[in-house]
Structures are given as C-alpha cells and as structure tokens.
C-alpha cells in the first residue's frame, strides 16, 4: 500500500470515528473497562430537570479497527441511577437504542437538578463489570434546573415545588395547632367563668 493511500485511510478512520463518537465526547465520560471502551452520559444534552431523558452507555471493543459495538447488553447489564446523596436508586429496563449499535439507554425523568451517579453492573461478554460514573465538569453533564430557561416568569418544578408544598403544610400544621390550643383555652376560660357564676 502506498504512503498516500495509508494517510488517506487513516484520515477516513479518524473522521468516521469523530462522526460516530463526536456526540458522545462533548458531554460524556469515556473509560476503559478491561478491554472495552465505555462512554456514558445523558441521551439528550443539555439535560433538564423535569424533562424525559435517558441514562446511556455505549460499549465498544477497540481491539479491532474500526471499534466493534458490543451487542446484547440489554440482557446482561443493569444501570442504577442515583441523585445527589440519595441511597435508593432508580432502576428500570435497559434498552438498546434503535439504529445505534452498542448504545443502551435507561429511560428516566429526572425531577431534581444537580449531580447524578450511574452504577453499571453485570457482564460484558465474559467480563464482570461493576463501575460507578458520576456527573460533573470533567465527566458528563449534571441535570440543569428548568428555571434557567423559563421566561417571562419562573415556575418551580419537581423538588422545588415539593419543598414549597412541604413548607406550606408545616405552616398549616402549626396554625392548626395554635388554633386548637386557643379553642381549648377558650373553653377552659368559659368553664371557669361558668363555675364561678354558679358558686
């Protein structure tokens, strides 16, 4: 093979890799797990609070050129998603993404903004896998609050709305308690007044 043909072939491989993986590289984390390349992130980015999305994992075998997508992982791998400091994960059915061999998605509707973790476990071909990926500036994107896009008024959603409702409930409970104490004291005062009149 001539030197020119080798250079052209190399350029074509680089361009093809950029097109195939370019969307993943911008806001995804890439990690080698054994001989396999894992690329994780959100299916739709930027990823917004309260908007349907999916935790994704793309697995390829780079020992061949071009890298070969690893198929069938929806049957052998699970993803658990955790938000912030929560310890109870979201789990669901991992699915292969149509038309994108080697890409798998766990559908989710993230209701809180901030950082998320993916725990990926199972088998990739004969390799046992147990990896944790965490969102952040150097990995994949955090979930963004939708208030950053709202105009002309910002409407609370998800965890913000829940927190406000809980605050209102707590205030209502305190008001109800004060009212009950006032009624009891009023009845006691009436009773005392009635007893004094009889005496």
């Amino acid at each position: 093979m001539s030197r020119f043909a080798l250079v052209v072939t190399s350029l074509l491989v680089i361009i093809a890799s950029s097109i195939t993986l370019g969307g993943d590289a911008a806001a995804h984390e890439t990690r080698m797990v054994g001989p396999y390349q894992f690329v994780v992130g959100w299916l739709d980015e930027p990823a917004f609070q309260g908007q349907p999305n999916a935790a994704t994992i793309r697995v390829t075998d780079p020992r061949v050129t071009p890298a070969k997508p690893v198929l069938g992982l929806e049957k052998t791998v699970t993803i658990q998603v955790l938000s912030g400091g929560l310890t109870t994960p979201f789990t669901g059915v991992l699915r292969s993404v149509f038309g994108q061999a080697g890409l798998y998605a766990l559908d989710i509707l993230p209701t809180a903004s901030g950082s998320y973790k993916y725990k990926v476990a199972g088998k990739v071909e004969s390799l046992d896998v147990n990896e944790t990926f965490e969102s952040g500036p150097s990995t994949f994107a955090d979930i963004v609050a939708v208030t950053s896009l709202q105009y002309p008024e910002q409407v609370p959603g998800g965890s913000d709305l829940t927190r406000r409702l809980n605050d209102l409930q707590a205030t209502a409970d305190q008001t109800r308690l004060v009212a009950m104490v006032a009624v009891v004291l009023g009845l006691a005062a009436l009773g005392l007044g009635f007893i004094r009149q009889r005496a």
Side-chain angles (χ1 to χ4, degrees), residues 15-26 28 30 37 39 58 60 67:
I15 291 169
S17 298
S18 301
I19 292 169
T20 305
L21 301 174
D24 294 330
H28 288 59
T30 302
Q37 183 181 65
V39 181
R58 182 185 298 277
T60 56

Side-chain angles (χ1 to χ4, degrees), residues 36-39 57-61 68-71 73 77 101-104 120 124:
Y36 303 101
Q37 183 181 65
F38 282 41
V39 181
I57 178 170
R58 182 185 298 277
V59 181
T60 56
D61 185 348
K68 178 182 81 164
V70 180
L71 305 178
L73 297 187
V77 170
L103 180 63
Y104 303 91
V120 179
V124 176

